[in-house]
């Protein structure tokens, strides 16, 4: 008589409508999006170089590149100070790099120091640079009146961490595809504005520019003059 379909679900016959409400579609969309983000972010291509030919020669990196980070200290505080520094040093003769992260927190006469140093090799394809870290050293210490009063000592571990960077010749800068500080990655970055892997199109350029110019959490490293 009608067009409704019937299904049996663990018992009595129930009517099943072929039409889902908009609310149901919204819930399904949220669930699917959450599953996708949890399982597919970040995309795997940010751990490897492109295989296709590029329109420019492979970039050769040499020297020091630094993040331009402002002090993190509250302007109104005279008892708390915090400073960070991050830089990359490249040697094109050996295709190697060293990655440095330091953080100092001064509060109530005590200074906490954090240091992370990574070492490894880099490869490039056009403007794309893949950093493969082979070793990471980390150390924490507490100082008072210029004297160290406690510390963890240097902890060294082997690593296989890989992350893709993009080089821009006009600004002489490098930027990772996702935000990363002291080998701690955060789930946002330039890749968010990229529709096609390795495409240096307008969308990518806009995303790169936005994350380069972020005032308090800029992602880019600039050549130190």
């Amino acid at each position: 008589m009608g067009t409704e379909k019937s299904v049996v679900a663990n018992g009595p016959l129930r009517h099943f409508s072929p039409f889902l409400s908009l609310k149901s579609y919204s819930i399904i969309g949220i669930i699917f999006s959450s599953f996708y983000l949890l399982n597919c972010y970040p995309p795997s291509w940010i751990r490897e170089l492109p295989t296709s030919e590029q329109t420019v020669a492979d970039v050769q990196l040499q020297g020091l590149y630094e993040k331009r980070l402002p002090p993190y200290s509250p302007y109104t505080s005279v008892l708390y100070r915090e400073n960070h520094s991050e830089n990359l040093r490249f040697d094109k003769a050996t295709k190697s790099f060293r990655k440095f992260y330091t953080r100092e927190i001064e509060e109530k006469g005590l200074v906490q120091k954090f240091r992370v140093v990574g070492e490894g090799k880099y490869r490039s394809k056009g403007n794309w640079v893949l950093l493969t870290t082979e070793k990471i050293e980390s150390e924490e210490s507490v100082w008072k009146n210029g004297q160290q009063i406690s510390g963890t000592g240097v902890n060294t571990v082997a690593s296989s961490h890989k992350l893709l960077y993009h080089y821009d010749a006009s600004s002489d800068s490098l930027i990772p595809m996702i935000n990363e500080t002291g080998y701690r990655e955060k789930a946002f970055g330039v890749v968010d504005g990229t529709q096609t892997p390795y495409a240096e199109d307008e969308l990518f350029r806009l995303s790169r520019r936005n994350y380069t110019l972020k005032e308090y959490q800029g992602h880019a490293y600039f050549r130190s003059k």
Side-chain angles (χ1 to χ4, degrees), residues 115-134:
R115 183 180 69 91
V116 180
V117 180
E119 297 182 17
K121 300 290 187 179
Y122 79 87
R123 294 184 295 125
S124 58
K125 191 73 174 288
N127 288 325
W128 300 99
V129 181
L130 183 68
L131 270 57
T132 301
T133 302
E134 300 170 343

Side-chain angles (χ1 to χ4, degrees), residues 31-93:
I31 293 172
F32 178 80
S33 298
S34 299
F35 177 83
Y36 177 83
L37 289 173
L38 288 172
N39 290 275
C40 302
Y41 192 94
S44 60
W45 65 268
I46 71 165
R47 311 290 182 191
E48 54 195 21
L49 288 172
T51 56
S52 59
E53 291 298 321
Q54 302 294 296
T55 58
V56 297
D58 298 347
V59 62
Q60 302 294 318
L61 296 173
Q62 177 68 32
L64 184 67
Y65 287 76
E66 297 179 306
K67 278 188 178 181
R68 296 171 178 172
L69 301 173
Y72 286 9
S73 310
Y75 290 113
T76 57
S77 175
V78 295
L79 300 176
Y80 180 94
R81 290 190 300 175
E82 182 174 350
N83 290 290
H84 295 228
S85 68
E86 296 182 60
N87 60 69
L88 286 161
R89 185 177 293 277
F90 294 94
D91 184 343
K92 66 180 180 182

